[in-house]
Amino acid sequence: MEVRWIRVEPFRLEPPHTAFSLVFSLLLGVWSAQALEMSVGKVPFLEAVNGSTVMLPCTYSSCIGIKNLYFSWQFNDNGTMQKVCDSVIPTEDVEPDVKIHKERVEFVGKNIKNNISILLWNITFEDGGQYTCFGRNPKEMNKNHSAIFNLIVVDELRVVDNTLTIIIASAVGGAIALLMGFMLLKNFTLFVLAKLEEKNKECLVSSSGIDNTENGLSGSKADSKPTPKKK
């Protein structure tokens, strides 16, 4: 009789600091998901013509809400941060009283939509550069966040060469049209073949009836001879 030995690992209790670290990590993850976030959109840059008016977009979001949220726009002037505008938003249903610190700037954000965007009127080449949208939320223990938007000022907008795009679109369109034409031709061919086969079956049935008549089978003309009269 073969005896097998099974090794049993002793049960270990995790030290208190390990459990605390796990709980702390979970709480930190939840806290990060609720943290303040500033966003300048999916495309954080804009190329605009000298003398035009542009909007610099920025919105904020917070899962637990805001209270006395401080925000500001700053311009990076060759390494020196210049304040463009700033304000404090008491609550989410109050429109802020924004202080403007630079000429040709207008606040156009509506707090109802968490929007703190600004307009720059009659931009010049000196207005080109990095603009930082900053926010700090005391309700989240002064959690802060910022997003950078780049403004590029040019004499005239560049003409985009769409030749390659047109060629690709034409090739794809031609391939699709060719495939559709092939499918139509295939369906038409199958339809004609089906009709020809149906017609051949009808001809075979008709030919069979004619042969039976000529051979004097039952129901044919050969059976219908008149009975001779008795004298």
Side-chain angles (χ1 to χ4, degrees):
M1 179 177 180
E2 183 180 357
V3 179
R4 295 183 180 180
W5 296 92
I6 301 176
R7 182 179 180 182
V8 180
E9 293 291 339
F11 179 74
R12 297 179 181 179
L13 291 175
E14 294 293 335
H17 68 274
T18 304
F20 176 77
S21 300
L22 178 60
V23 174
F24 180 76
S25 300
L26 292 174
L27 292 176
L28 183 61
V30 174
W31 181 261
S32 300
Q34 295 177 342
L36 176 70
E37 182 178 359
M38 314 299 288
S39 174
V40 292
K42 295 182 179 180
V43 183
F45 65 89
L46 175 66
E47 188 173 286
V49 179
N50 180 33
S52 61
T53 298
V54 298
M55 183 182 73
L56 307 185
C58 186
T59 57
Y60 69 86
S61 62
S62 174
C63 293
I64 64 174
I66 64 165
K67 184 176 181 181
N68 295 326
L69 170 70
Y70 172 79
F71 76 89
S72 67
W73 276 95
Q74 296 181 0
F75 173 63
N76 188 351
D77 186 9
N78 295 322
T80 302
M81 299 302 293
Q82 294 182 354
K83 189 176 294 185
V84 177
C85 68
D86 67 338
S87 183
V88 174
I89 305 175
T91 58
E92 294 181 354
D93 56 349
V94 177
E95 188 171 341
D97 182 16
V98 183
K99 296 179 181 179
I100 305 297
H101 303 281
K102 189 177 180 181
E103 295 180 350
R104 297 176 288 105
V105 174
E106 179 184 353
F107 178 76
V108 294
K110 300 299 181 182
N111 188 42
I112 293 178
K113 299 180 180 179
N114 299 345
N115 193 340
I116 51 177
S117 305
I118 59 174
L119 276 182
L120 297 184
W121 292 86
N122 301 323
I123 60 174
T124 64
F125 290 105
E126 288 75 18
D127 293 325
Q130 284 187 350
Y131 289 82
T132 302
C133 180
F134 172 83
R136 182 175 63 245
N137 189 15
K139 192 172 182 179
E140 298 176 287
M141 299 179 62
N142 286 324
K143 186 74 177 181
N144 62 74
H145 191 250
S146 61
I148 296 176
F149 190 86
N150 287 283
L151 176 63
I152 305 170
V153 183
V154 296
D155 281 325
E156 58 182 10
L157 296 178
R158 292 174 295 179
V159 179
V160 180
D161 188 5
N162 294 324
T163 304
L164 180 59
T165 304
I166 294 174
I167 293 175
I168 295 175
S170 300
V172 173
I176 294 175
L178 182 62
L179 179 61
M180 292 180 64
F182 173 76
M183 294 300 296
L184 290 174
L185 181 60
K186 177 182 177 181
N187 292 335
F188 179 75
T189 304
L190 293 176
F191 175 76
V192 172
L193 292 176
K195 287 296 184 181
L196 290 175
E197 184 177 358
E198 183 180 350
K199 187 175 181 180
N200 289 335
K201 289 181 178 179
E202 292 178 355
C203 290
L204 289 176
V205 171
S206 300
S207 300
S208 176
I210 294 173
D211 291 342
N212 290 339
T213 301
E214 292 178 350
N215 292 331
L217 297 179
S218 176
S220 65
K221 291 182 178 179
D223 295 331
S224 59
K225 293 182 178 179
T227 304
K229 294 181 180 181
K230 295 181 180 182
K231 296 183 179 179

